[in-house]
Amino acid sequence: MVKVRLATPVLKENEVAAQENRVRFEEAGVFVLNLMSSPGSGKTTILERTLEHLSGRLKVGVIEGDIYTTRDAERIERYDVPVVQINTAGTCHLDARMIAPVLEDFDLEALDLLIIENVGNLVCPAEFDLGEDARAVVLSITEGNDKPMKYPLVFRLAQVVLINKLDLLPHTDCDLELLEKDLHLVNPELKLFRVSARLDQGFQPWIEWIEEQVRLKRHDS
Ligand SMILES: Nc1nc2c(ncn2[C@@H]2O[C@H](COP(=O)(O)OP(=O)(O)OP(=O)(O)O)[C@@H](O)[C@H]2O)c(=O)[nH]1
Ligand SMILES: [Mg+2]
């Protein structure tokens, strides 16, 4: 039998760093959301719409995780919120040790919400706790109905799934009811929101969910 030893220490180290981040977030009373998906599902577009909806309501900071470029951070900068880019230089996910140093770049105490856009990848980011309060996965309907069953971990560890690109429904073979049924088979606790980031549709329940989490976090701290 082949023994695999490498992953355990890496993940253990990550857990220690994630716990330190969590303590920092608790002290600051900031609600931290880890936004994950395959490449191109619409994380940044959803983030843009979310920032528009939350403008004047919550103080939001953003960490953008990307392998090489600063393109997503440049898109977010236009919304006049503090944003920091992390380039992972080839690594397929963010980890807790990458997050810790960039927290110095924010006035965390002044923020209500910190959104971390993870690297586009449905597999690796799921393995790495960043110290966040909640995970939201974006799943666009063009990716195929089988994704919840083929990549269950990311959905199992999430609290929310945003089913995106609803405007494209007539052009796909997506069965929305079946997709939602499979998501709930993988994780019965998941909150599901149907949205079209392009048309800015379906965002109200998502925004209300965020505002409720921020309120709860303030009371906890
Ligand atoms: N039709 C349609 N297109 C969308 C929607 N949301 C995003 N897109 C498009 O999908 C493409 C990818 O969107 P992004 O927001 O950059 O996706 P992402 O998940 O941030 O991508 P990575 O950061 O590269 O993983 C862009 O061309 C968007 O305009 C939507 O609701 N409907
Ligand atoms: Mg993006």
Side-chain angles (χ1 to χ4, degrees):
M1 180 137 146
V2 178
K3 286 187 181 166
V4 181
R5 294 193 183 278
L6 183 64
T8 313
V10 169
L11 288 176
K12 223 172 212 163
E13 251 178 60
N14 189 72
E15 262 321 299
V16 172
Q19 187 51 29
E20 285 168 8
N21 291 347
R22 196 169 284 117
V23 168
R24 183 73 193 92
F25 298 144
E26 283 300 324
E27 281 169 2
V30 59
F31 178 70
V32 181
L33 191 63
N34 185 354
L35 191 59
M36 296 184 280
S37 83
S38 339
S41 303
K43 294 180 295 303
T44 310
T45 315
I46 283 177
L47 194 43
E48 291 174 308
R49 296 294 87 76
T50 301
L51 291 173
E52 285 164 5
H53 283 277
L54 291 175
S55 170
R57 300 170 70 92
L58 293 180
K59 294 208 179 64
V60 189
V62 175
I63 296 176
E64 279 293 343
D66 201 1
I67 298 183
Y68 297 115
T69 77
T70 55
R71 287 182 183 216
D72 286 355
E74 285 160 23
R75 284 168 64 182
I76 297 305
E77 252 174 357
R78 294 185 206 131
Y79 292 83
D80 205 23
V81 296
V83 54
V84 178
Q85 176 78 52
I86 299 175
N87 281 138
T88 63
T91 305
C92 57
H93 59 268
L94 291 173
D95 68 38
R97 283 173 305 172
M98 297 176 193
I99 299 294
V102 306
L103 297 181
E104 306 300 321
D105 295 331
F106 292 94
D107 180 1
L108 272 190
E109 273 71 12
L111 294 182
D112 301 304
L113 170 67
L114 178 65
I115 302 180
I116 304 172
E117 179 180 338
N118 217 312
V119 176
N121 184 319
L122 212 47
V123 182
C124 312
E127 305 262 2
F128 290 84
D129 182 5
L130 306 179
E132 71 272 21
D133 294 289
R135 295 177 172 199
V137 182
V138 179
L139 178 62
S140 62
I141 58 165
T142 51
E143 289 170 60
N145 266 297
D146 54 1
K147 295 304 167 287
M149 291 303 180
K150 286 182 74 175
Y151 304 93
L153 185 68
V154 72
F155 298 104
R156 202 169 287 145
L157 298 179
Q159 283 68 42
V160 168
V161 174
L162 292 132
I163 302 174
N164 190 32
K165 307 198 184 180
L166 258 283
D167 54 292
L168 296 178
L169 195 59
H171 310 290
T172 69
D173 60 356
C174 174
D175 181 337
L176 260 187
E177 274 71 36
L178 188 63
L179 185 66
E180 293 186 335
K181 193 167 150 245
D182 283 351
L183 284 164
H184 276 144
L185 279 176
V186 169
N187 179 355
E189 308 294 324
L190 275 177
K191 280 201 170 305
L192 305 180
F193 300 116
R194 296 180 181 186
V195 298
S196 165
R198 166 152 299 166
L199 299 184
D200 189 16
Q201 285 176 350
F203 275 79
Q204 206 44 46
W206 159 244
I207 295 300
E208 282 168 16
W209 180 83
I210 290 177
E211 291 186 324
E212 175 64 7
Q213 302 310 305
V214 167
R215 267 195 298 276
L216 290 170
K217 181 77 185 234
R218 280 206 201 107
H219 289 176
D220 283 347
S221 59

